[in-house]
């Protein structure tokens, strides 16, 4: 059996309809999917950055402890983590770890043009992360601002400024403020506001509605078949 280690999305570390659809569409005669627990938080108890660090550690530990062949997968925040781990393994940063492939749903760091099925355009809200030397497959729904945001959309500022967001205590709020200053000082903000992108600024509200109301980041992956299509790709490509 090939173990499929899955990281859930924000506030759903034990899974949700998207990851459940992906898991049950796998060929269960060959693949054994299981969720890898981690905080999956975004500022409620810990910041996105701290949650991601814990998820990365949990996934690396799970890979190291799993004998045999492995595929890693993730949805949303989980996809960001799994994709980062796959990229690091591909670069040789973890020479003792091997994976067969990675499958990423609604990846906040999806590179432009990388998608099973029809490419919805744009790229991840947090930027683009390339994965080399590891077969990588992405599912991206049209209108999902987390993974298919146009280059000039102002929603990119949210990703840039909220990575360390956490207001659970005065100290946490102070750390967030210091990180904002550090990000600005070192010019790590995405250049979404350049003059050539001005025509795309007005699309921010439409993409925000897609995320908050229309289910572009959630329901669409089930009702439009994106999660199932990604699983079918893994069935076909991982022999």
């Amino acid at each position: 059996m090939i173990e499929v280690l899955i990281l859930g999305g924000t506030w759903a570390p034990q899974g949700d309809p998207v990851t459940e659809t992906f898991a049950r569409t796998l060929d269960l005669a060959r693949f054994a999917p299981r969720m890898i627990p981690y905080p999956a938080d975004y500022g409620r108890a810990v910041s996105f950055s701290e949650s991601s660090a814990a998820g990365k550690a949990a996934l690396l530990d799970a890979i190291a402890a799993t004998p045999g062949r492995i595929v890693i997968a993730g949805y949303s925040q989980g996809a960001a983590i799994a994709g980062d781990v796959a990229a690091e393994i591909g670069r040789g940063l973890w020479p003792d770890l091997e994976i067969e492939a990675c499958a990423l749903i609604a990846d906040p760091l999806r590179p432009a043009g990388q998608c099973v099925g029809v490419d919805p355009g744009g790229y991840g809200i947090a930027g683009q992360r390339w994965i080399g030397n590891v077969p990588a497959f992405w599912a991206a729904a049209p209108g999902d601002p987390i993974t298919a945001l146009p280059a000039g959309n102002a929603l990119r500022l949210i990703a840039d400024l909220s990575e360390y967001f956490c207001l659970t205590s005065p100290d946490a709020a102070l750390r967030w403020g210091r990180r904002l200053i550090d990000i600005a000082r070192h010019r790590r903000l995405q250049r979404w506001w350049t003059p050539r992108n001005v025509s795309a600024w007005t699309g921010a509200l439409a993409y925000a509605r897609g995320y908050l109301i229309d289910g572009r980041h959630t329901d669409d992956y089930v009702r439009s078949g994106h999660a199932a299509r990604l699983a079918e790709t893994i069935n076909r490509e991982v022999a």
Side-chain angles (χ1 to χ4, degrees):
M1 295 288 282
I2 301 171
E3 297 281 343
V4 182
L5 310 179
I6 306 172
L7 290 174
T10 302
W11 301 316
Q14 300 304 319
D16 56 66
V18 176
T19 52
E20 290 165 6
T21 298
F22 171 78
R24 69 168 176 262
T25 310
L26 292 168
D27 178 359
L28 298 181
R30 297 193 299 123
F31 296 98
R34 61 185 169 98
M35 301 299 298
I36 303 301
Y38 78 109
D41 205 342
Y42 206 128
R44 288 180 177 175
V46 299
S47 70
F48 176 87
S49 178
E50 292 167 315
S51 176
S52 296
K56 178 180 178 180
L59 182 57
L60 288 170
D61 286 347
I63 296 171
T66 301
R69 302 171 68 195
I70 299 168
V71 170
I72 62 174
Y75 164 53
S76 192
Q77 181 177 164
I81 298 166
D84 284 351
V85 167
E88 290 183 0
I89 290 175
R91 294 199 302 271
L93 297 184
W94 305 99
D96 295 332
L97 302 183
E98 294 185 7
I99 58 175
E100 299 290 320
C102 77
L104 307 175
I105 305 169
D107 179 14
L109 289 160
R110 180 182 72 94
Q114 299 299 306
C115 182
V116 298
V118 178
D119 179 15
Y123 56 90
I125 190 172
Q128 303 182 73
R129 174 243 302 108
W130 297 92
I131 299 174
N133 303 314
V134 171
F137 308 94
W138 283 264
D144 178 3
I146 302 303
T147 197
L149 195 65
N153 196 288
L155 291 183
R156 295 191 176 280
L157 189 63
I158 295 175
D160 289 337
L161 298 185
S162 64
E163 180 179 0
Y164 296 90
F165 175 75
C166 186
L167 298 179
T168 54
S169 70
D171 284 346
L174 181 60
R175 285 197 301 272
W176 179 53
R178 285 172 174 166
R179 290 303 302 178
L180 293 186
I181 294 171
D182 184 63
I183 289 168
R185 179 182 296 146
H186 292 92
R187 299 183 179 182
R188 290 200 292 266
L189 296 173
Q190 297 178 73
R191 299 275 307 167
W192 62 266
W193 63 88
T194 55
R196 65 187 175 84
N197 287 333
V198 71
S199 63
W201 293 358
T202 57
L205 288 178
Y207 274 86
R209 177 189 170 91
Y211 177 81
L212 296 170
I213 299 173
D214 297 336
R216 302 300 186 194
H217 185 61
T218 51
D219 298 342
D220 265 15
Y221 286 92
V222 176
R223 66 191 174 200
S224 297
H226 303 296
R229 189 176 302 111
L230 182 62
E232 291 163 355
T233 300
I234 295 299
N235 290 339
R236 183 175 62 252
E237 296 294 334
V238 181

